[in-house]
Every structure is written in C-alpha cells, then in structure tokens.
Amino acid sequence: MNLNTTSSEFAAAVKLNGAQFVADLQWLLDRCDERFLTDTSKWVLEILTHCPESWLNDFGDSVGDCPSASTSVHPPTSTPSSIVTVGNRNLLFGKNLLVNRDFARASFFLKRTKLLGSVERFLYYWSRYQGCVRTHLENEAEAIDRKAVEHNDDSDYTKLLREIGQEPRPLDIFLLYLEGKIQASLGVTEAATSTMKEVLKMDSRFWPAWQELVSLIANVDEINVCKALCTRSPDSSWMADWFESLAL
C-alpha cells in the first residue's frame, strides 16, 4: 500500500469498523478545516468520497444525524458571510489572506488575534510557517536559475521555532505538530521525531503526525515503537496500521 491506497483497498487488508473509521476522519476534518490544514482536509475528503455508502450511513445513524440525499433541482442556498465587527475583523481578514496565500499580510493581522484562543494562535504561527516555506522555495528556484550553489539561511525557521518555544506549555496538539514540522525543516530529525510521537500520545487520530513519521523514522525497527503510541480501541487504531504499511 502507498499514499494513494484507497479506503476499499485498505479495508480489504485490515478489518475496519466503518462507522468508527468515518468518525475518526470527521473528527480530523472538522479541526483541520478550522485551521486551514488544507492538504489533510483534502486527504480526508478524498477518502470519504470513496468510502462505502454503508459506512457513512452507519456513522450518520450513530450520531443521530443522517441526512438523506437531496432530490431538489435547486442548489442549496449559500451560507451568509460572517458579520464583521470590531472584535473579529482582523481574524476574518487574516483568514481570507491565508486562503489567498498572502502569508506575510495574513500573519500581520492574525498576530492581533493570537491571544483569543488556541485556534487563532495556531493560525498566526501557521501563516508564519507557510511564509517561511514559500521564501525557501523561491530561494531554491532562484539558485537553480542562476546555476549557483544555494546557501541555506534557516534563520526564519529558527526564529519561528524560538517564538513557539516561548508559548505556555503544554502546547495544544496542532501547535505541537507545527513545532515538529519546523524541527523537521531545520533538519533536526531526532527532535522532530520525538515531537511527533508526543503529538500521537495526545491523540493518535492525528494523521498528519503519522505521515511525518513515515519520513522521519530511521529504520523499520521504530515502526512498532510508533504503533505502540496508539492506545485507542482496535476499532480506532487503523491509522497506526496504515502508517506501518507506508513505512515498510
């Protein structure tokens, strides 16, 4: 199996509780959508698109909310835009800038909201991180154009990591994950691996940490150590099995 393995193929290899499988993905989707982790949201939605209908129906029944397929010829009405107030205007504008990949301006406005809560704090640091990634990619492209040897300047990553390190501990699961991502970007593999393991100790349904560990672990002997971090019931331990299939 690989990153393109479908849910049906995976289900054939591992016994799954369909409703719990969907519940785990729904939990992840709700939180990633809120924090603009678009790659993970896309991954979840693609899997759910190919899930057996019975799994989705069973999940809907389990939460008492199983909407039937609409037969209306009219498209659903759009959700009205949020009402802009003095209290939320920086957050709304910062989110819009983040969606439009204007990371420098997004971080400027989101910084004003970072004390509102854990989501707002993450969005500020996430916009900063995305800006760092873009800068490094642009520098790499320029070095290729000039046919020059690239001299990596990781001071922006280092500064960002230092700022996150000054946040009160313990960090929430998303900010801790971002800390591990930055450590990986800096090439501090051992620290990044340790951080991702801490993320999974907090909640093993957090697939992005499993995915990072696929490329971080040094040898296959570490696979079982990582899998042991999943202390959930067998019905909700499928991510650890999927991780193993990718890491082998």
Side-chain angles (χ1 to χ4, degrees):
M1 286 182 281
N2 53 49
L3 285 172
N4 296 317
T5 300
T6 66
S7 59
S8 298
E9 292 169 335
F10 186 73
V14 181
K15 291 183 178 180
L16 293 176
N17 178 316
Q20 187 59 55
F21 180 84
V22 174
D24 292 341
L25 290 173
Q26 186 66 59
W27 175 88
L28 186 59
L29 178 63
D30 291 343
R31 285 150 185 80
C32 288
D33 273 354
E34 191 175 28
R35 293 167 176 83
F36 293 83
L37 291 177
T38 53
D39 286 343
T40 302
S41 293
K42 176 185 175 183
W43 178 80
V44 171
L45 288 169
E46 186 168 7
I47 291 175
L48 291 176
T49 298
H50 295 286
C51 273
E53 290 183 9
S54 60
W55 292 11
L56 296 171
N57 291 333
D58 289 346
F59 169 69
D61 291 340
S62 69
V63 297
D65 180 20
C66 186
S68 59
S70 174
T71 58
S72 172
V73 295
H74 301 291
T77 56
S78 59
T79 303
S81 300
S82 300
I83 297 175
V84 180
T85 67
V86 173
N88 70 7
R89 59 183 178 180
N90 287 308
L91 179 61
L92 293 176
F93 188 39
K95 285 181 175 180
N96 183 273
L97 291 169
L98 189 54
V99 169
N100 286 284
R101 305 182 66 79
D102 191 346
F103 302 125
R105 295 177 70 208
S107 64
F108 175 81
F109 287 97
L110 290 171
K111 185 176 183 179
R112 301 177 180 179
T113 72
K114 67 190 288 278
L115 297 180
L116 294 177
S118 60
V119 174
E120 292 81 4
R121 182 166 58 250
F122 175 82
L123 287 173
Y124 164 65
Y125 285 115
W126 183 244
S127 63
R128 291 273 308 279
Y129 171 73
Q130 292 294 331
C132 292
V133 172
R134 169 179 283 180
T135 298
H136 280 254
L137 289 174
E138 290 173 348
N139 290 342
E140 289 177 8
E142 289 178 5
I144 293 173
D145 288 341
R146 297 194 311 268
K147 297 181 180 179
V149 177
E150 182 190 2
H151 298 286
N152 289 327
D153 180 6
D154 294 327
S155 58
D156 50 355
Y157 282 129
T158 302
K159 181 180 179 181
L160 182 56
L161 185 62
R162 187 182 304 116
E163 287 187 32
I164 294 177
Q166 294 172 350
E167 290 288 338
R169 301 284 164 154
L171 299 178
D172 72 90
I173 190 170
F174 282 88
L175 199 52
L176 186 61
Y177 162 73
L178 180 54
E179 185 175 58
K181 287 275 288 183
I182 299 169
Q183 290 167 338
S185 297
L186 287 168
V188 192
T189 304
E190 187 173 343
T193 302
S194 177
T195 300
M196 291 303 172
K197 289 178 179 178
E198 289 300 317
V199 170
L200 293 175
K201 287 179 183 178
M202 295 174 70
D203 200 313
S204 58
R205 294 175 296 178
F206 195 76
W207 173 254
W210 289 112
Q211 193 169 19
E212 288 294 326
L213 283 173
V214 170
S215 58
L216 286 172
I217 59 174
N219 55 69
V220 294
D221 294 335
E222 294 186 53
I223 293 176
N224 286 333
V225 175
C226 293
K227 287 188 66 179
L229 298 171
C230 181
T231 57
R232 302 182 66 83
S233 67
D235 284 348
S236 197
S237 62
W238 60 271
M239 286 190 187
D241 294 324
W242 202 329
F243 156 77
E244 181 180 23
S245 72
L246 297 176
L248 286 174

